[in-house]
């Protein structure tokens, strides 16, 4: 019996990985850059947070390039520049996000109390002291709006995505163009369309239902495009296996493709909801502003969180502005929860 000699396994190398010497030089360059930035700000008229931010990146690139050029030459400097520009862009985006979060939380938390989330504004006004009245009616109105938008937009968006990815009929090119065009439609146009087409030409007047239709126009492109990307990730082997078993195309789509992309389609729905949750302009034309509960989606104005924010900012008093900030914080929490849920669902791979 012959024995087969086995070669010893060799651990894969990572030539791009930083060595301890590289990490030490990076730490030294960062320390020298901080020192140089503090010195320049102290002896020049350049002051403020932006001065620190931009000066640090400039001095860091110069100092770090001196260390890099001695090791890797000009090519290493170019690579270092590309890495720092990428880091610079990421830091700018992060600063914008965290500044928005900080401004919203620091200003909004001052008006958050039990009454704010358990009462309505029927017996109070935006100008009353904080603690009297709340936005529970607006929260419920926003939930009803979102439910109506989901009922209409999710089936339309997913079926459109299935047509574009699975059927690919003659109208696929035109539909794809329309979906892309709708993605760039300003939100106020959706509200004006419902107002001009329905409110001015039919007996129907402003209501939660019409507001949901306006939001549907904005939500469908997001759901469709996201669902397209998810369906394209489903392996073609699954489709071929279903057809090989004798199933029709629609049975294969309904029983194989859609279940495989289920978590991704849920992500598409959540992203669509997050897209419309903070829209204000279409609601001013279709829903109006109301200060109490309205559980009839087909009749009468309704309160929503975006319109509460708009009315509070238009009020101009410290109390109304504080209510607007607190409403923004509530809305931001809802949207952040949706995006976290979308992230969790999106991290799951389609089932094979």
């Amino acid at each position: 019996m012959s024995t087969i000699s086995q070669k010893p396994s060799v651990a894969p190398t990572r030539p791009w990985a930083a060595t301890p010497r590289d990490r030490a030089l990076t730490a030294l360059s960062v320390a020298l850059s901080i020192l140089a930035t503090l010195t320049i700000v102290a002896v020049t008229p350049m002051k403020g947070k932006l001065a620190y931010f931009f000066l640090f990146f400039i001095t860091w690139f110069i100092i770090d390039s001196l260390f890099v050029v001695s090791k890797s030459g000009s090519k290493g400097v170019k690579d270092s520049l590309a890495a720092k520009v990428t880091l610079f862009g990421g830091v700018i985006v992060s600063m914008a996000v965290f500044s928005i979060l900080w401004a919203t939380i620091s200003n909004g938390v001052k008006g958050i109390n039990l009454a704010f989330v358990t009462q309505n504004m029927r017996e109070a006004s935006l100008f009353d002291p904080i603690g009297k009245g709340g936005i529970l009616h607006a929260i419920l109105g926003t939930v009803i709006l979102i439910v109506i938008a989901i009922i209409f937009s999710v089936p339309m968006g997913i079926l459109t995505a299935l047509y574009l990815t699975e059927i690919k009929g003659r109208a696929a090119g035109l539909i794809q163009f329309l979906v892309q065009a709708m993605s760039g439609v300003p939100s106020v146009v959706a509200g004006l369309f419902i107002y001009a087409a329905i409110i001015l030409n039919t007996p129907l007047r402003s209501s939660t239902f019409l507001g949901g239709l306006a939001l549907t126009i904005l939500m469908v492109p997001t759901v469709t495009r996201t669902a397209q990307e998810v369906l394209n990730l489903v392996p073609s082997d699954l489709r071929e296996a279903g057809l090989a078993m004798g199933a029709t195309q629609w049975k294969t789509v309904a029983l194989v493709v859609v279940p495989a992309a289920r978590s991704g389609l849920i992500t598409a729905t959540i992203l669509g909801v997050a897209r419309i949750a903070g829209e204000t302009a279409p609601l001013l034309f279709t829903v109006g502003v109301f200060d109490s509960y309205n559980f009839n989606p087909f009749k009468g104005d309704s309160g929503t969180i975006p319109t509460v924010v708009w009315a509070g900012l238009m009020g101009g008093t410290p109390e109304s502005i504080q209510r607007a900030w607190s409403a923004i914080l509530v809305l931001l929490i809802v949207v952040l929860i949706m995006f976290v849920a979308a992230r969790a669902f999106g991290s799951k791979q389609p089932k094979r």
Side-chain angles (χ1 to χ4, degrees):
M1 182 175 180
S2 60
T3 59
I4 301 176
S5 60
Q6 296 181 351
K7 295 182 179 180
S9 59
V10 180
T13 60
R14 300 176 62 192
W16 59 85
T19 63
R21 181 176 178 274
D22 294 334
R23 295 191 182 94
L25 291 177
T26 300
L28 179 60
S29 65
V30 170
L32 293 176
S33 301
I34 294 175
L35 181 61
T37 300
L38 295 176
T39 303
I40 294 173
V41 172
V43 301
T44 63
M46 300 182 66
K47 307 296 180 183
K49 298 178 181 178
L50 291 178
Y52 284 105
F53 178 73
F54 287 103
L55 285 174
F56 170 76
F57 269 94
I58 293 173
T59 55
W60 184 33
F61 171 70
I62 295 174
I63 295 174
D64 191 60
S65 296
L66 297 176
F67 292 112
V68 173
V69 72
S70 62
K71 176 184 176 182
S72 306
S74 59
K75 292 184 178 179
V77 175
K78 294 178 182 178
D79 182 72
S80 177
L81 174 62
K84 288 178 175 58
V85 168
T86 304
L87 177 62
F88 182 74
V91 171
I92 289 178
V93 173
S94 299
M95 287 178 61
V97 172
F98 283 111
S99 64
I100 293 173
L101 291 175
W102 173 251
T104 304
I105 294 172
S106 61
N107 290 286
V109 73
K110 300 174 184 178
I112 298 295
N113 51 63
L114 183 61
F116 190 75
V117 294
T118 59
Q119 298 180 8
N120 59 27
M121 298 296 293
R122 190 64 175 177
E123 299 179 357
S125 70
L126 295 172
F127 312 108
D128 288 336
I130 302 299
K132 184 178 181 181
I135 63 167
L136 180 59
H137 66 292
I139 297 174
L140 296 176
T142 301
V143 171
I144 296 173
L145 268 175
I146 291 176
V147 170
I148 294 174
I150 289 175
I151 291 174
F152 285 99
S153 62
V154 171
M156 292 172 59
I158 293 179
L159 289 175
T160 302
L162 288 173
Y163 180 83
L164 295 175
T165 57
E166 305 297 329
I167 305 302
K168 300 178 181 178
R170 294 182 179 180
L174 176 61
I175 294 175
Q176 184 70 59
F177 172 77
L178 292 176
V179 169
Q180 293 176 350
M182 288 177 63
S183 300
V185 171
S187 59
V188 67
V189 175
L192 284 172
F193 172 76
I194 298 298
Y195 180 79
I198 299 180
I199 295 179
L200 294 182
N201 294 293
T202 68
L204 297 177
R205 292 297 177 259
S206 59
S207 64
T208 307
F209 176 74
L210 296 183
L213 293 184
L215 296 182
T216 298
I217 298 174
L218 302 174
M219 186 173 173
V220 165
T222 302
V223 175
T224 301
R225 300 188 70 176
T226 308
Q228 272 187 270
E229 298 299 326
V230 171
L231 292 171
N232 286 329
L233 294 176
V234 177
S236 59
D237 296 343
L238 292 178
R239 300 176 176 87
E240 295 172 358
L243 296 174
M245 295 294 292
T248 62
Q249 185 179 23
W250 270 113
K251 279 191 175 182
T252 302
V253 170
L255 301 179
V256 178
V257 176
V258 172
R262 180 179 58 187
S263 60
L265 297 178
I266 295 175
T267 302
T269 303
I270 296 173
L271 291 177
V273 171
R275 164 70 176 85
I276 64 172
E279 292 294 344
T280 305
L283 302 183
L284 295 177
F285 292 97
T286 57
V287 178
V289 181
F290 196 52
D291 56 7
S292 186
Y293 306 108
N294 181 11
F295 297 103
N296 185 353
F298 301 101
K299 184 178 180 181
D301 294 348
S302 178
T304 61
I305 297 178
T307 55
V308 167
V309 175
W310 174 81
L313 293 177
M314 292 297 292
T317 65
E319 291 80 10
S320 65
I321 293 176
Q322 180 58 63
R323 293 178 191 277
W325 274 112
S326 300
I328 292 173
L329 178 59
V330 173
L331 182 61
L332 183 63
I333 292 173
V334 173
V335 174
L336 285 177
I337 291 173
M338 292 176 183
F339 274 109
V340 169
R343 182 77 175 180
F345 282 114
S347 62
K348 297 180 181 180
Q349 298 295 328
K351 295 182 180 179
R352 293 182 177 273

